[in-house]
Amino acid sequence: EYMKKSYKADKKFPDYFMFEGDVLVNQQQYGDACGRYENAIYFDPNCIEAYVKYSHIYFDINPTLAIQKLEELQTIAPNSAIAQREMAEAYYKNSQYTKAAEAYEKYMQNPNHFQTDRPRLATLLFYGKRFDESLELAKDILSHDPQNFVIRRIVMYDNYELGNFEAAEQAAIEFLGMNPGDNVFTARDYMTYGDILSKQKKYGEAVAQYEKAYELDNTRTDILKVLSDTYERNKDYVKAIDTYEKYMNADTVNNQRVMDYYLLGQICYSAGQAAQDSVELMNMYLLKADTMFQVVVERSPTDIIICKPPIRPRKTRLSRLQKIIGTRCWNWIRVIQRFSKLLKLSIRCNRSFFECIHCVTNYFCRAIFLRWCSKSRIICPELRIKNKKESNVRLLLEIKFVY
């Protein structure tokens, strides 16, 4: 009843439309509410509150339109601290971090800005990759507010990005040792601490941080991949293999890419190399590596540009070699031959596939050809095995195919 009287008294009064818009928002009638805010702007182009509330409603629906509304406000009220702050926040929520940092800097120069927004600026400078400026501002804030949770985090992040790993480690210890109160530690916090430790080759300590990160967010399969790599660097090959297999089983988005099989094969190969004291264990890991590399070979046409058809070696020279080493090993020779051809033609190729072939070559030398070296001395342009009588047999594999 009072609203009707107010409307009759002055049909162009913007506050009437603002109040009606707020009522409609409470009733979750957002479209009608935006209409009322537009009415308020129509009758009072300088109604800053109407622009802000309109953009808040539209941001989740159409962020571009919401930002455009705030840009209109900037032209109308360029010196408004509220307008500047809302513009910066909108850029930040839309992941436009560079623009957000610039907008916040402009806002912080406004005499009407809030000092409590300085941590937000430090955060935006970090996301805008202006790490030096972010760190400088963060240190200044800490001098006045040493228990600021957000700024302690930013100091750790900034030092890591700047390569100040010792300072970053100290910042991480201080930050993660805080009582979070109403704040929460995130998986990224522990991942960053783990990365800091890994950069200093403290792999055992890094593992503990990555494990905490995965406990906090077990939906992030990328953490498993990093964890597996750190296990391998720490020479804990059993956990490295188990974790990478867990990653491959969980990573349904990428659907077990060829590179995943290659990397798992590489871990198994490293495990086999480290298990020299146990022939049985060494063979188990090397055979598993062989299986992974076989998948790489079978799937490689979909992951690598191969411009030439399979190469056919001269039967007169290689048929005897094929009989000696067996069909499966011969397939690997064909693979090496094919990649050698690609390399000679300087065709751009994924480096990891050449590393894969290198691993396979070493596998031949250590696991497969060993049983033949004591029986035969194979001499041909393609393969030469020397020093068969030495206790630690050295094998030289030279591939020289005629195309």
Side-chain angles (χ1 to χ4, degrees), residues 3-4 65 68 103 153 168 199 219 235 358-359 369 392:
M3 288 181 65
K4 290 179 180 179
L65 182 60
Q68 286 176 353
R153 171 185 283 149
K199 288 291 185 180
T219 63
K235 302 188 185 304
H358 174 71
C359 290
F369 292 151
N392 183 16

Side-chain angles (χ1 to χ4, degrees), residues 382-398:
E382 290 74 32
L383 181 65
R384 298 175 186 175
I385 297 181
K386 298 180 179 180
N387 303 324
K388 65 174 183 177
K389 294 182 179 180
E390 295 182 12
S391 57
N392 183 16
V393 180
R394 296 182 179 179
L395 304 178
L396 174 64
L397 180 63
E398 295 180 354

Side-chain angles (χ1 to χ4, degrees), residues 228 230-241:
S228 174
T230 311
Y231 278 132
E232 182 185 8
R233 291 175 185 273
N234 201 40
K235 302 188 185 304
D236 190 345
Y237 298 111
V238 175
K239 286 187 177 179
I241 293 170

Side-chain angles (χ1 to χ4, degrees), residues 10 26 88-89 111 113 161 180 184 239 254 277 294 345 352 382:
D10 186 354
N26 289 334
E89 284 292 324
H113 77 272
E161 294 294 343
V184 293
K239 286 187 177 179
N254 292 320
D277 295 337
Q294 183 68 30
L345 293 176
S352 297
E382 290 74 32

Side-chain angles (χ1 to χ4, degrees), residues 134-193:
S134 175
L135 182 59
E136 183 179 357
L137 178 58
K139 287 180 177 179
D140 184 56
I141 295 170
L142 284 180
S143 66
H144 300 91
D145 184 10
Q147 296 303 313
N148 190 301
F149 185 86
V150 172
I151 292 304
R152 285 287 181 187
R153 171 185 283 149
I154 290 300
V155 169
M156 176 181 71
Y157 287 178
D158 282 329
N159 276 305
Y160 170 70
E161 294 294 343
L162 291 169
N164 305 328
F165 300 125
E166 290 184 5
E169 183 179 0
Q170 183 59 38
I173 293 170
E174 293 173 359
F175 168 60
L176 294 170
M178 292 179 68
N179 180 358
D182 295 333
N183 301 293
V184 293
F185 295 116
T186 65
R188 180 175 181 177
D189 295 333
Y190 290 106
M191 284 294 292
T192 302
Y193 189 18

